[in-house]
Amino acid sequence: MSADKEKRDDTLSIPYMLARVVSSNYGPPLVVVAVVLAFRWTNALWDAACEVVGWNPDSLLWCWRLLQVVSLVLAFALPVWLVCRSFYCAMERKWMNIFHSWVACGVAFVLLMGGILLCSLAEACKPNLFTWNTSLMEGREYVLPRGLCKLGEAERNPHLKHLFALREKARPATAEHVVPEAPNLSKLTEVASPLLHEYVYRCLYAEATNPRFSSAILAQGNSVCLAHGLCPQTLAMRARYYDSSAPLSTLVEANSGSPWAALLRIPLQNGWYFAADFHKDAFEMPTLAALDEELAPLAQNPTPEQLDAMLPPVPNKPFLCLWESYPGWYGAAIIVPEDYPRGTFRLRAYEVSQGKHVCLTRVEWSHGNIAAGRRILSSRSDFCVDSGDEGAYFAATWEILFTPEGGGEERCVNAQEFLIQGCHLK
């Protein structure tokens, strides 16, 4: 009786069960399939959970790599097991076992490929779940990055339609067939160039913080409307779309034989010029007349007091300019005040309603100096917001993080809210 009991206990032990699985025809192939597919689906579910909760999946990249290594080892171990199993069964003259082992591996291969394909299709067809439980506060006005694409949801959602309409109503008229005179702009570039630099600087800050602000002095799309070698707007566009080491004259090329040569580059005083991107239809650009009319009060009274009456001073801290080049792809510029400590800057973003971490691809910065001793960091190329999908708009707080050059802890020196959309890379 005790011998039978001990025998039953041995058959229920883990070593015995493992030995039976390894020595069976179907056990090892099916175990490999189960483990590999479990790892694959675990990764897919983990990514979905990261999207919903707002975790950064890169923080557990080492775990994903470990699972990949284990899966590859098991997948390559399967043919090795089949060869060893076939050799052993041939030595023992167990021909049916050889047949069943090959059938088991064939079935395992079909199940493995089918499971991986199904998982890949599920990941490809699944929408990004980042915005699943997010919301935009009703009645709240958010700043739109310059050029934010207006996609499906923005045409149906009343709140989004209102946000997009805030600046659309204030846009200046389109260009005309004849280049008008610009007496106010000419006067300011000649006798008050520093004030004009300050005006552009304040316009950029107002655009980055005021949802209702719009100005003809701001570039539309990839164009440069009012340009100067020390203008932050000019340097930002130049760093992203042109060789930053090239002479400034290569920024906008005006063909002498082009009928739009006058619209492409209009020289002014003290290094200023009016320019439009020659890759676009000139009629899409804001008019020189609208810009000149906007500057009329400052030209009539070119004093700091008049400038303060038109636009308030900018706080003494870095601020972020953000624009969208393609749905979910952004360019950025950080403008640093005069005499600000030296150090390194980086961006970090969080969704407003849930506090989720917003995943950004790497941003590489180009450094430059602008008027009044200020500095600018411009993104060399567009970067992607990998949280959310195209047309799924959400509000995000963008933090400018600064680390002093001489050492010290990284700290947030400014935070701004923008309405953005993502572009899921998977």
Side-chain angles (χ1 to χ4, degrees):
M1 184 72 176
S2 61
D4 293 339
K5 184 177 183 301
E6 289 179 3
K7 186 176 181 180
R8 285 197 303 271
D9 291 341
D10 289 340
T11 59
L12 294 176
S13 66
I14 294 178
Y16 178 81
M17 296 175 67
L18 288 177
R20 288 294 302 271
V21 170
V22 172
S23 62
S24 66
N25 297 319
Y26 290 89
L30 295 180
V31 168
V32 169
V33 170
V35 173
V36 173
L37 291 184
F39 284 169
R40 187 70 180 85
W41 280 96
T42 298
N43 176 71
L45 294 174
W46 173 254
D47 280 346
C50 289
E51 293 170 2
V52 174
V53 181
W55 293 335
N56 184 2
D58 293 339
S59 60
L60 291 178
L61 187 60
W62 62 270
C63 184
W64 161 239
R65 288 173 177 169
L66 178 61
L67 295 180
Q68 287 286 80
V69 170
V70 173
S71 299
L72 287 174
V73 170
L74 288 175
F76 282 109
L78 189 57
V80 175
W81 172 86
L82 180 61
V83 172
C84 295
R85 178 71 177 168
S86 300
F87 180 77
Y88 170 78
C89 292
M91 295 291 292
E92 296 290 327
R93 299 183 181 276
K94 297 178 179 179
W95 310 115
M96 288 304 296
N97 286 353
I98 297 177
F99 172 76
H100 285 294
S101 298
W102 280 84
V103 170
C105 283
V107 172
F109 179 79
V110 172
L111 292 176
L112 186 62
M113 293 298 102
I116 292 176
L117 179 61
L118 183 62
C119 184
S120 300
L121 289 175
E123 288 181 318
C125 298
K126 174 189 70 65
N128 189 283
L129 302 176
F130 182 83
T131 56
W132 174 67
N133 59 344
T134 64
S135 61
L136 296 174
M137 296 178 62
E138 290 296 329
R140 179 92 172 266
E141 294 183 351
Y142 299 99
V143 176
L144 272 63
R146 190 187 309 182
L148 183 66
C149 296
K150 190 175 183 180
L151 300 180
E153 188 181 351
E155 300 288 352
R156 301 185 297 269
N157 187 310
H159 189 193
L160 288 174
K161 289 173 66 175
H162 169 72
L163 292 176
F164 275 89
L166 291 178
R167 283 178 175 165
E168 289 177 352
K169 296 176 181 177
R171 285 180 181 172
T174 54
E176 302 157 353
H177 290 274
V178 180
V179 180
E181 297 292 331
N184 298 315
L185 185 57
S186 298
K187 178 181 177 181
L188 286 172
T189 57
E190 181 178 2
V191 303
S193 181
L195 275 181
L196 191 56
H197 278 294
E198 184 68 21
Y199 184 80
V200 175
Y201 176 64
R202 296 188 184 189
C203 281
L204 290 172
Y205 177 76
E207 180 193 38
T209 56
N210 183 356
R212 295 176 174 268
F213 182 81
S214 181
S215 171
I217 211 168
L218 300 173
Q220 302 295 318
N222 298 343
S223 67
V224 178
C225 295
L226 183 63
H228 190 282
L230 296 178
C231 173
Q233 180 171 242
T234 307
L235 291 177
M237 297 298 174
R238 185 183 181 196
R240 297 174 63 241
Y241 297 103
Y242 303 91
D243 181 6
S244 58
S245 63
L248 187 62
S249 59
T250 64
L251 175 61
V252 178
E253 298 176 2
N255 248 337
S256 57
S258 170
W260 307 116
L263 281 175
L264 293 176
R265 188 177 179 93
I266 304 174
L268 299 166
Q269 302 294 323
N270 291 314
W272 290 95
Y273 61 93
F274 181 80
D277 192 334
F278 64 95
H279 292 296
K280 286 191 171 186
D281 185 348
F283 294 130
E284 296 179 0
M285 303 299 117
T287 64
L288 185 58
L291 175 58
D292 195 65
E293 181 182 353
E294 179 182 320
L295 294 173
L298 188 61
Q300 294 169 7
N301 182 24
T303 62
E305 291 74 19
Q306 177 61 38
L307 178 60
D308 291 341
M310 297 172 67
L311 288 171
V314 177
N316 188 35
K317 58 183 178 180
F319 66 89
L320 173 67
C321 299
L322 192 67
W323 57 88
E324 187 180 64
S325 305
Y326 188 79
W329 289 84
Y330 298 86
I334 298 175
I335 302 180
V336 184
E338 181 185 6
D339 297 329
Y340 200 82
R342 294 281 176 173
T344 57
F345 293 88
R346 72 179 182 94
L347 296 178
R348 183 173 64 187
Y350 294 95
E351 193 276 330
V352 171
S353 65
Q354 300 294 327
K356 299 180 180 181
H357 172 82
V358 178
C359 294
L360 311 175
T361 56
R362 183 178 178 182
V363 184
E364 295 185 355
W365 299 105
S366 173
H367 298 257
N369 297 317
I370 56 178
R374 302 179 179 115
R375 290 171 283 136
I376 182 172
L377 286 75
S378 307
S379 56
R380 291 183 180 272
S381 59
D382 294 335
F383 59 91
C384 176
V385 172
D386 193 25
S387 297
D389 279 322
E390 297 178 7
Y393 299 94
F394 61 93
T397 299
W398 293 68
E399 295 181 344
I400 302 176
L401 302 178
F402 173 71
T403 303
E405 192 175 56
E409 293 186 0
E410 184 181 61
R411 65 180 187 271
C412 176
V413 294
N414 199 0
Q416 299 165 231
E417 286 187 3
F418 290 95
L419 180 75
I420 59 174
Q421 61 183 328
C423 179
H424 199 36
L425 295 176
K426 292 186 178 178

